[in-house]
Amino acid sequence: MNEKTSLHEESRPKRDTSGSLDLAPTHITFTQSFSYATKYANEKNWIGIYSSGSTGPDNETYTEDSLSWEYAPGEKGTVQLSTANLPPGQYKAYFLANEGYKWLARPVVFKVANPWGSISIRDDDPLLTFNYSTPLPDPQNWIGIYNSFGGGPESQKFISGSLTWAYAPDKNGTVKVDASALQPGLGYRAFFLAKGGYKWLASPIDIVKPGKGPLTFIVDQLTTHNARAGEPFKATLSGMLENPRDPDSKFAKGKYSATDTSTHDWVNISADGIISGTPPKASGNTTTKFVVEALGSDGSTAEITVTIPVVPQGEPLVKKLTILSFNLWFGGTPVKDYHSKQVRFITNARADIVGLQESTGGHAIRLAKAMGWDYWQGDDVGIISRYPMVEQYAPIERCGAVRIALDRGQEINFWNCHLGYTPYGPYDFCFDHLSPEEVLKNEIKSRRTPQIINIMKYMQDHLSQSSKTPVIFTGDFNAPSHLDWTNATKKLHCGQGYFPWPTSKHPIDAGLIDSFREVHSDPLAQPGLTWSPIYLDNGGRAEPKDRIDFIYHKGLKTHSSEAVVVGQPKAQPDHYHNEWPSDHAAVKTVFKVAKSSSAGRGNSRVLWGVVSAIIAATAACASWIVCACVGKRKSDKNFNEKGRRDSDSGDSSA
């Protein structure tokens, strides 16, 4: 950034704080007044507010944008700064010279209280009933419910649509919010917002939708990640409960039958659902099987059978790796009990790592916490893994990537994308009857082509090292593959023969392998369709069927690959009660993992004890990954925010 200076500033001794900056009486809601004085008057002098937890311009240099600011041009005067966007807390105000960062006075620390209204939940009502108050009533004021893990207007700006909402128009009142779409036992955050927008009228509150019981586990049986003989092990299953009335359920080892011969004495279960212990050194290539019992605060109980695979000392922890590419379909919200259905599917698929699309609003975090896994959450895409993420790469458009440690000396680079959805190529051919040249132009217009070119550019370094660190690339590419659109399959594709879809050509030309087509080489015999198990009709026309979800790799051996759904999904609009919670089929690929020269050797007891503890901790405490951007030194006070309150309806091909 080029910092502006002036004659006034250049002639002023460094850090001349002979001026003054003081709090002034404030009588207007959402403002803080400051009185100031300086002998270096300048029309571009300004007062900026920063969080007291940040450094601000403490060293008289730019470090970050101010939260609110106004010019203070005279030798003395009073200015009012907006605090409407500032949550209650402690802040620091700086009086600065000529649009720069040289101090004109010592900064002052002040607090922003909550001058707004209030919002609280009524404990005596089984539904979500809120009491609220505000000095600023409006017919468009509203209360919106979001996942506690993200997606809400934490910065008083639109991030994603609310899960459910209701108007709260009066100065004081009570409002019931429809909770039918919320999942029992999960955490949510309620926001009281102004005039159909996202400005807070009160500090948000965290809530849990109580389950109606009886207490159950989402699955009857659970297989954890692998343990190694003689090394500490840790996992968590507290998030696997269904219908808890509150977060106070307790866990313990259950009773065993006389025929149970598995060795489980080394396993401990904490009251909050943490499984821990060290398998005996002599064990290996065995399974430890035991029962865990949960006791709800209402006295109801539930049991789950847990299996821990144990590998011998000196052997790789992971020999096979199961990967899913899974489009959640607006997080799963169009389907009843989507949370339990998603967790049940991922668990029963014995997945190790899942690339998620349409996870906006913290859905990757929600699933990872339920399963005790590690996670990365992007704007749309997310990644969850039962093994730890040791590096998170800077996200690029429609894509994110992490490095995952499977074992000591065993790592992979994992990429996941969700490319643009419109215009949609099969519609161009089948409905609009465009020429191949026109369709290729539309692939550029949809941004899929520039997106995949950019992704492959950033992936090049990883691909060049794939013999040491394999690469996996999952995603909803929103376009078919040139390996499927061949002259032999033209009858499946509206008469169009071979077509060089850029979104498959670029990955394969870069050296990636399509895992499904690697196993099933004949696209006519095994089309592997993922779009769509529920969208069958499109305005009286048959919906084009295609494989648009993929798992690519380089540096691994593919054991099996398939497109999967659960049950027999009913077609839209009768999808609400489907066991399958998506409008896409998922892709499941099992890879064989080559043995690393250092896997299972050395001081892995310490390493993997720490790793297990970190993963277990993520299930109890979510931590956000913040992507920093360099911006203007002062926030744009004229920014006009636009957004939608309701969940986006989207296009069915997304």
Side-chain angles (χ1 to χ4, degrees), residues 133-156:
S133 66
T134 176
L136 303 170
D138 188 274
Q140 298 296 310
N141 289 349
W142 61 291
I143 293 173
I145 311 298
Y146 295 80
N147 285 316
S148 62
F149 308 127
E154 301 289 349
S155 300
Q156 303 190 63

Side-chain angles (χ1 to χ4, degrees), residues 28-250:
I28 302 176
T29 306
F30 306 125
T31 64
Q32 175 61 58
S33 296
F34 296 90
S35 60
Y36 69 91
T38 179
K39 59 185 178 183
Y40 302 107
N42 186 290
E43 64 179 5
K44 297 298 185 181
N45 290 347
W46 61 290
I47 296 172
I49 295 175
Y50 294 79
S51 170
S52 65
S54 68
T55 57
D58 282 346
N59 295 321
E60 300 189 289
T61 58
Y62 172 85
T63 57
E64 60 186 277
D65 290 355
S66 65
L67 301 173
S68 181
W69 68 278
E70 286 290 346
Y71 286 120
E75 289 187 357
K76 62 180 179 179
T78 300
V79 296
Q80 293 178 338
L81 272 68
S82 171
T83 58
N85 290 328
L86 305 184
Q90 188 163 280
Y91 296 88
K92 189 183 290 187
Y94 296 80
F95 185 19
L96 303 169
N98 195 30
E99 286 199 329
Y101 300 95
K102 301 297 184 183
W103 290 10
L104 292 171
R106 293 188 178 278
V108 295
V109 176
F110 68 100
K111 288 185 177 181
V112 172
N114 187 353
W116 314 321
S118 64
I119 179 175
S120 61
I121 192 166
R122 287 181 50 171
D123 295 333
D124 60 342
D125 195 318
L127 300 176
L128 289 183
T129 301
F130 296 91
N131 295 326
Y132 69 90
S133 66
T134 176
L136 303 170
D138 188 274
Q140 298 296 310
N141 289 349
W142 61 291
I143 293 173
I145 311 298
Y146 295 80
N147 285 316
S148 62
F149 308 127
E154 301 289 349
S155 300
Q156 303 190 63
K157 298 178 182 178
F158 174 83
I159 301 297
S160 65
S162 64
L163 300 172
T164 183
W165 65 278
Y167 285 120
D170 301 323
K171 189 172 183 179
N172 298 279
T174 299
V175 63
K176 293 181 183 291
V177 178
D178 180 12
S180 60
L182 305 184
Q183 308 298 292
L186 295 188
Y188 298 94
R189 181 163 291 177
F191 292 82
F192 185 18
L193 303 169
K195 298 182 178 181
Y198 300 93
K199 302 296 184 185
W200 293 5
L201 291 172
S203 296
I205 60 172
D206 290 323
I207 60 175
V208 175
K209 180 183 177 181
K212 297 180 180 179
L215 190 68
T216 61
F217 280 98
I218 294 174
V219 293
D220 296 328
Q221 301 186 41
L222 171 70
T223 299
T224 70
H225 59 280
N226 296 348
R228 183 182 283 120
E231 297 180 10
F233 173 87
K234 187 170 286 188
T236 184
L237 50 70
S238 57
M240 300 296 288
L241 279 179
E242 193 170 24
N243 287 323
R245 292 186 179 274
D246 50 50
D248 298 328
S249 300
K250 304 300 180 184

Side-chain angles (χ1 to χ4, degrees), residues 9 50 63 139 198 231 239 249 251 272 286 330 358 408 430 473 477 500 511 537 552 641 651:
E9 189 172 341
Y50 294 79
T63 57
Y198 300 93
E231 297 180 10
S249 300
F251 299 83
D272 56 354
T286 61
F330 302 124
E358 297 194 32
R408 183 183 181 89
C430 297
F473 183 22
F477 288 65
D537 179 81
Y552 291 99
E641 179 182 282
D651 186 286

